[in-house]
Structure formats: C-alpha cells, structure tokens
Amino acid sequence: AIRRYTFTRTGVWAPFLVSWLVVTVGYPHGVLALVGAFLAVILETLLAGQPRRVLRTLGAGALAGMVALAVFLPSVLSVGVTARESGILNNGFLNGNLTGIASSAIPVAQPEIGGWWGANPPVPMMYVSWLLPLFAFVDRSKLGRAARTLVPIAFFGLIWVAFVAAPSFLGPFRIPIRMMPYVALALILVLAVSLSRAATVSSRYNWRILLAVFLTLYSAWFAFAEVPDNARAQAISTCLVLAGVVAIGIILNLRQRIGDRKGGVLLVGVAVAMTTVITFHQHAVFPSSPLAAYGLPAAKADYQRPLSGVDGAAMVVGEPTAVGQPEVWEET
C-alpha cells in the first residue's frame, strides 16, 4: 500500500488504513517492521531516480507516526517506573545469530537461541524454507529491471537480520527473535521473484544443481554443529531437502524439452509434495510447542465465579491458574 501510494496517483487512505491497523494492535515489533517498510520504499524511490516521491512516502509515514504517538506515548512516558528501563545489554536471551540464519533451510535445525529451555530451543525457531538452496538456479544476468525492485526488499530483510542478532535488551524492546518472520518474508519474496523472472533453463548448468546441493549441505552442517545430538533427524531432513532441490533442478533442466506449461505443473507438484512430506517429518520430530500448557479454564463462566454476586464493574487481579479456587484471594 505504501509503495503503490508513492509511485501512483492513488490516495493516501490505503497506506493510512493499513498503518493504522498495524499500529493500533499495540505490538511494537510490528510497528518496527512498518518503519522498515517505509524505509524500503524510500530507498526504492531513490534508486528509481525519483527523489521527489520521497515526500509522498514521508507524508504517509507522518500520518502513521501520529497514530503511533497516540498508542505508544503513554508507555514511553511511563517507562522509567517499569522493568522496561534496562538500557542496552545482552544476556543471550531469545536473540539469534548468523549461524542460525545459515541453517534456516533445514526444517529441523535448532539454532542457538537462549531461553527457558537452555541454549538451544526444542523447536526450529529460525527455519524459513527448504526452497532457499534454489537461489543456485537464479541467473542474475536475466533479472534485469527486477533486480532494482528486489534491492529494497533485501534491504528490508537485512534490517531485521541485524535486529535478530541484536542484544537481548534494546531499551523497551525485548526478544529480538520476534523479528525473524520479517527476515523470512524478505527471503521468500526475493527467492520467488528471482525464480519467476530469472530461473535459468539452460541445459548446460549441471553445476547449478551441484551448487544447490552444496548450499543444502552447508546449511545442514550448521544445523548439525548447533545440536549434534539430533543428527538422525537432521540427516533425514537433509535428504528430503536434497531430493526436492535436485528434482526441481532436473525439471528446470528439462523444461525446454517438455515445455513451459508442463514444466511449470511439475515444478509446482514437486514443491507442494515435498513441502507436505517435510512438514509431516518436522511435526513428527517436534510434536509440540516448547511453551508450557498452563491448562487455564476455557469457559467464560469459570472466570466469573470469583465475582459471583458482585454488582457493578469489577476486575480480579491475580493468579489466573487459581481461578475457582480459594487461593485466588491470596493473590488479589
């Protein structure tokens, strides 16, 4: 919406509405991503040689900024009396590193992310997609004008790579790993556009298949280095990724002979089939979330019991797991 408003004659209502929805959720990391989107569009206008359009982007950003002030200013003004006033420090709690990103093509990789579980999470928290080694099949010389469009998206992703690897505490911002979805979004967008515009179909590129295999094994090595104890699951996962990557490479290699339409159908079929198999394996290895199941009551009536017979507006403050038990009043 921001980009469309910047480069066309559309009204500002679309970027304002989207920005308003993002900001009023009250989730500051989403607002950070919104700022990154504005910066990426500004970079694109400069690369396009249209610096005057930056004023349109800044105008839409100013409207979003006013909404952000209304939502977050009370928190900013009161931060001095809360636990959020911690400055900048790193204790290795829920931030990632470049090794984790390097292993993000392996569906069962457990990168080094300190948390309640210790050094490595019991789930693949930095997995992006098994398709990432397909960057080997992108012919950069064919990207042409698309390359300029991809630079701002890559820039958007690099911002959050830096944030994911940032110190655990950046003032009020905690848990840097929360920005990993935006890294994944940028990687997948760049890969999808690059393959759509510049996937090589030359029959003389078996070396690209070898490069894709190398990238897969390189990512697998980082996954193994992080948690050698999970080598069996990693080996199965790596073999599945290799099978999918090589199959797609062979189809691309044959695409000139079998035709674009048939080749496209085969590519989609392999991608969907392998994603399904890989996802089932991933869930077999990691059947549940690392977060505890607190067993809180599911019915609204259970939460009304402590205030049964009370008239007017009231709110119970205390331990939610004690709802319906005498101990709840010790916490109130």
Side-chain angles (χ1 to χ4, degrees):
I2 298 163
R3 185 175 181 275
R4 183 180 292 272
Y5 170 69
T6 299
F7 286 98
T8 67
R9 294 181 177 275
T10 55
V12 75
W13 64 270
F16 174 73
L17 176 62
V18 175
S19 299
W20 180 81
L21 289 171
V22 170
V23 173
T24 54
V25 168
Y27 182 59
H29 291 74
V31 178
L32 282 179
L34 181 65
V35 173
F38 276 105
L39 291 175
V41 173
I42 289 172
L43 176 61
E44 185 172 1
T45 60
L46 297 176
L47 291 174
Q50 303 179 46
R52 290 184 179 181
R53 292 189 179 273
V54 172
L55 295 176
R56 290 176 66 84
T57 314
L58 292 176
L63 292 174
M66 286 191 286
V67 179
L69 276 177
V71 174
F72 292 104
L73 186 58
S75 300
V76 173
L77 294 177
S78 62
V79 72
V81 294
T82 71
R84 293 284 173 170
E85 190 182 41
S86 57
I88 299 176
L89 59 97
N90 184 32
N91 62 359
F93 187 76
L94 289 172
N95 56 346
N97 54 38
L98 297 182
T99 304
I101 292 175
S103 67
S104 60
I106 305 301
V108 297
Q110 296 167 258
E112 184 181 351
I113 302 173
W116 302 280
W117 42 74
N120 299 87
V123 288
M125 288 182 70
M126 296 182 77
Y127 171 62
V128 174
S129 173
W130 67 272
L131 296 165
L132 291 181
L134 297 184
F135 272 114
F137 301 118
V138 176
D139 187 343
R140 289 179 299 172
S141 64
K142 294 181 179 180
L143 274 176
R145 293 179 61 185
R148 191 182 67 193
T149 307
L150 292 175
V151 169
I153 302 174
F155 169 74
F156 176 85
L158 285 172
I159 294 174
W160 309 125
V161 167
F163 202 98
V164 164
S168 307
F169 297 82
L170 284 174
F173 293 103
R174 312 288 174 88
I175 312 183
I177 199 65
R178 283 172 171 162
M179 303 310 291
M180 189 60 201
Y182 304 108
V183 176
L185 178 64
L187 279 169
I188 291 169
L189 276 173
V190 171
L191 177 64
V193 174
S194 299
L195 287 175
S196 298
R197 302 286 179 87
T200 180
V201 292
S202 170
S203 60
R204 297 180 179 179
Y205 79 118
N206 289 332
W207 68 270
R208 290 185 181 271
I209 295 179
L210 293 176
L211 177 59
V213 169
F214 170 76
L215 292 175
T216 303
L217 294 176
Y218 193 68
S219 191
W221 167 253
F222 282 110
F224 171 75
E226 293 283 5
V227 185
D229 295 343
N230 200 22
R232 184 174 180 274
Q234 292 167 7
I236 295 172
S237 186
T238 302
C239 288
L240 290 173
V241 175
L242 284 171
V245 166
V246 170
I248 287 177
I250 292 172
I251 294 170
L252 283 172
N253 209 10
L254 297 173
R255 200 168 176 182
Q256 284 183 325
R257 301 182 205 172
I258 63 179
D260 283 346
R261 184 178 180 83
K262 190 174 181 180
V265 171
L266 282 173
L267 284 171
V268 172
V270 169
V272 172
M274 288 306 303
T275 299
T276 303
V277 172
I278 284 170
T279 302
F280 271 104
H281 178 250
Q282 189 183 53
H283 280 267
V285 177
F286 307 107
S288 61
S289 165
L291 301 178
Y294 293 103
L296 297 177
K300 182 179 177 181
D302 292 328
Y303 294 95
Q304 293 173 332
R305 275 186 213 141
L307 292 178
S308 58
V310 174
D311 294 326
M315 179 176 68
V316 173
V317 179
E319 175 56 57
T321 56
V323 168
Q325 303 172 32
E327 304 92 278
V328 72
W329 302 110
E330 297 174 9
E331 293 281 344
T332 303

